[in-house]
Structure formats: C-alpha cells, structure tokens
C-alpha cells in the first residue's frame, strides 16, 4: 500500500496558552491517528523565544495511505477540527504543496482533495 506524509498545523487563537495548545494538538492527533501513524513534530525551542512553542505544539506529521478515501478523510478531519475550534486557520502540506484551510465550502474541500491527490501523484513520478 502506497503511503504519503502530511504535515498538519493550526494557528493558535490570541487567548491560547501552551496548555490549551497542547490539549488541542493532542485532540487533533487523536482524530488523525485513526487514519495513520501520527506524531508530534519536535522542535528545539530557545528559552526566551515566545511563539516558537506555539508553533511546535500545533504541528503534527501523519503518514497514511494514498487511497482516495484516506486523503479525503485527512482533509475532512482537519476541517472538522477547525469547525470545532473557531478562530484558527489550518495548514496541510504534502510534498511541496501547502494548503491554507479556513472554513472552506464543500467545493473548496473537493478542490483541496484534488490538489492533494495531484501532489502525491507528482511526488511518485
């Protein structure tokens, strides 16, 4: 079975602290773990670098099947997470393509799925 690696991120809301971001990242990781191998992206953090911890907490790697249903599920899982946690924007990267996701319509979700499929097909060439 062919697999693809996705980088999944979301932006913090202005009122989020590290604890809240950790909880939200864990929630998203649990949702995505049903689709494939999910892990946190480790980042070295300087002691006085405000903002870097926020980025590290909100970043995940997902390795999943390239089957169309899995690709669609990754996009839909991130969209559902963003809908439950308003005020955040999501980012999905596969290969050299990065998609910004912010309350997309059904048509935009379908276009994102086509774009992800294209990126995976292009990477496999």
């Amino acid at each position: 079975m062919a697999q693809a690696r996705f980088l999944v991120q979301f932006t913090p809301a202005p009122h989020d602290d590290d604890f809240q971001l950790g909880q939200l990242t864990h929630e998203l990781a649990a949702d995505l773990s049903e689709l494939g191998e999910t892990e946190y992206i480790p980042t070295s953090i300087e002691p006085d670098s405000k903002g870097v911890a926020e980025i590290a907490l909100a970043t995940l790697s997902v390795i999943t099947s390239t089957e169309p249903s899995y690709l669609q599920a990754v996009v839909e899982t991130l969209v559902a997470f963003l809908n439950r946690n308003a005020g955040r924007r999501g980012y999905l990267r596969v290969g050299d393509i990065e998609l910004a996701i912010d309350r997309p319509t059904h048509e935009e979700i379908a276009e994102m799925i086509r774009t992800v499929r294209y990126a995976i097909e292009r990477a496999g060439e």
Side-chain angles (χ1 to χ4, degrees):
M1 170 179 18
Q3 294 185 319
R5 180 176 186 252
F6 293 86
L7 248 127
V8 180
Q9 296 176 297
F10 64 91
T11 58
H15 62 278
D16 287 343
D17 60 20
D18 286 350
F19 179 76
Q20 289 167 315
L21 285 174
Q23 285 185 313
L24 291 171
T25 305
H26 180 72
E27 175 188 327
L28 181 58
D31 292 347
L32 291 168
S33 69
E34 296 176 15
L35 304 174
E37 182 182 328
T38 303
E39 58 187 53
Y40 299 88
I41 301 296
T43 304
S44 58
I45 301 171
E46 300 291 324
D48 293 323
S49 59
K50 181 71 174 144
V52 176
E54 295 169 353
I55 293 170
L57 285 171
T59 304
L60 300 166
S61 170
V62 182
I63 298 174
T64 190
S65 169
T66 58
E67 296 288 321
S69 61
Y70 280 84
L71 303 178
Q72 181 171 345
V74 168
V75 172
E76 290 177 347
T77 299
L78 181 55
V79 169
F81 171 82
L82 294 171
N83 286 337
R84 288 192 312 268
N85 297 285
R88 292 171 176 78
R89 174 175 241 169
Y91 297 92
L92 181 65
R93 188 169 67 196
V94 58
D96 60 351
I97 296 192
E98 184 174 318
L99 303 170
I101 303 172
D102 185 21
R103 298 203 175 263
T105 64
H106 291 292
E107 294 80 23
E108 290 170 330
I109 292 171
E111 181 60 31
M112 282 186 256
I113 293 166
R114 285 191 292 276
T115 301
V116 167
R117 284 185 191 155
Y118 171 75
I120 290 171
E121 289 170 4
R122 195 173 76 191
E125 294 175 351

